[in-house]
Amino acid sequence: MATLTRTVLLRWAAPVAAAASVGLVASGVLTAQADPPLPPKTAAQLLADVQGARVDGLSGTIVQDSDLGLPALPDIGSGHGGSSLTSLLTGSHTLRVWYAGDTKQRLALLGSLGETDVVRNGQDAWFWSSDSNSATHYKLPPPSAHKPEPTPPSPLTPQQAAQQALAAIDPTTSVSTDGTRPVAGRKAYELVLAPRDSRSLIGQVRIAVDALTSVPLRVQVFSRASAAGPAFSVG
């Protein structure tokens, strides 16, 4: 599943895998024309801010929209509520998130008639489904410097989507800024990643960066062949 997500979001059916890589050529002369009171920032400054962003805690609502041309997938592991994690690959979905550090989180995927929750507290994790009205407990292994963190089945949050986009950078893509705009009631800069290779089917990846915390608020992926809106959006 992680391989599928990375392919769909970042490389997205390019004839050559390297052709669709989201890369970086950050120029110091490219600046965000910020409306007052936000100061202008270069693309390089925004990249550094995003990669260094840290928050102690947050909560909020996430909306993810996917229009990647994939057929509707069955809600494996869920009932009629339509709230399984596999359903995130297509359609529109709403999630609630609570974050209180690296070892304390809760994620609630809301379906039309049900809800799926994942809760972590230290090494204890619970998976709860309203369809079966049951919870499953898992004991997580202790953290190890030699084992990578597990990759989520889908970029459930703007932060995860932004991390995947930035992790794939190489010299094949230009990076610029596109002013400021409100996102979820907060002022944000917009960082734009655009593959230079004409064979890539990705036109742009746009990352809205919170002006105060530098946390990504929204990530949008646009097709090179269509101007009908983002093929993938999470914010």
Side-chain angles (χ1 to χ4, degrees), residues 4 30 50 116 159 181 191 206:
L4 173 61
L30 295 172
V50 171
T116 300
Q159 293 80 13
R181 52 194 37 81
L191 187 65
R206 304 178 76 91

Side-chain angles (χ1 to χ4, degrees), residues 1 13 21-22 36-37 46 52 71 74 78 98 113 153 168 174 183 203 209 218-219:
M1 184 70 72
S21 298
V22 176
L46 285 180
S78 88
W98 297 262
L113 298 173
S174 66
V183 176
V209 181
R218 182 179 64 199
V219 175

Side-chain angles (χ1 to χ4, degrees), residues 61-73:
T61 300
I62 295 174
V63 176
Q64 176 180 305
D65 295 298
S66 301
D67 184 15
L68 303 174
L70 298 174
L73 299 177

Side-chain angles (χ1 to χ4, degrees), residues 12-157:
W12 200 15
V16 180
S21 298
V22 176
L24 167 63
V25 179
S27 171
V29 300
L30 295 172
T31 62
Q33 298 300 315
D35 297 327
L38 295 182
K41 285 192 175 183
T42 66
Q45 286 175 319
L46 285 180
L47 283 172
D49 290 345
V50 171
Q51 293 171 331
R54 296 291 184 271
V55 292
D56 295 326
L58 59 84
S59 64
T61 300
I62 295 174
V63 176
Q64 176 180 305
D65 295 298
S66 301
D67 184 15
L68 303 174
L70 298 174
L73 299 177
D75 288 337
I76 300 173
S78 88
H80 300 291
S83 57
S84 75
L85 295 179
T86 56
S87 67
L88 286 171
L89 291 176
T90 59
S92 181
H93 305 278
T94 301
L95 305 95
R96 292 296 309 279
V97 171
W98 297 262
Y99 176 86
D102 292 339
T103 60
K104 292 184 178 181
Q105 305 102 22
R106 177 187 170 192
L107 175 76
L109 174 59
L110 309 180
S112 57
L113 298 173
E115 179 177 329
T116 300
D117 283 44
V118 179
V119 179
R120 178 185 180 183
N121 184 12
Q123 290 180 243
D124 293 302
W126 291 265
F127 182 90
W128 180 77
S129 172
S130 66
D131 294 324
S132 61
N133 196 28
S134 63
T136 304
H137 176 257
Y138 298 91
K139 198 71 175 179
L140 302 177
S144 171
H146 304 290
K147 294 182 180 180
E149 288 293 321
T151 302
S154 177
L156 301 179
T157 69

Side-chain angles (χ1 to χ4, degrees), residues 135-233:
T136 304
H137 176 257
Y138 298 91
K139 198 71 175 179
L140 302 177
S144 171
H146 304 290
K147 294 182 180 180
E149 288 293 321
T151 302
S154 177
L156 301 179
T157 69
Q159 293 80 13
Q160 291 170 342
Q163 288 170 1
Q164 289 189 19
L166 296 177
I169 60 176
D170 68 23
T172 68
T173 298
S174 66
V175 176
S176 61
T177 58
D178 189 20
T180 65
R181 52 194 37 81
V183 176
R186 297 182 65 86
K187 296 178 180 179
Y189 296 96
E190 188 143 271
L191 187 65
V192 182
L193 314 180
R196 294 181 182 276
D197 197 313
S198 61
R199 293 172 296 177
S200 172
L201 298 184
I202 295 178
Q204 291 182 339
V205 177
R206 304 178 76 91
I207 303 174
V209 181
D210 188 281
L212 181 62
T213 66
S214 299
V215 171
L217 297 177
R218 182 179 64 199
V219 175
Q220 297 174 305
V221 181
F222 292 84
S223 166
R224 185 186 296 274
S226 173
F232 177 87
S233 175

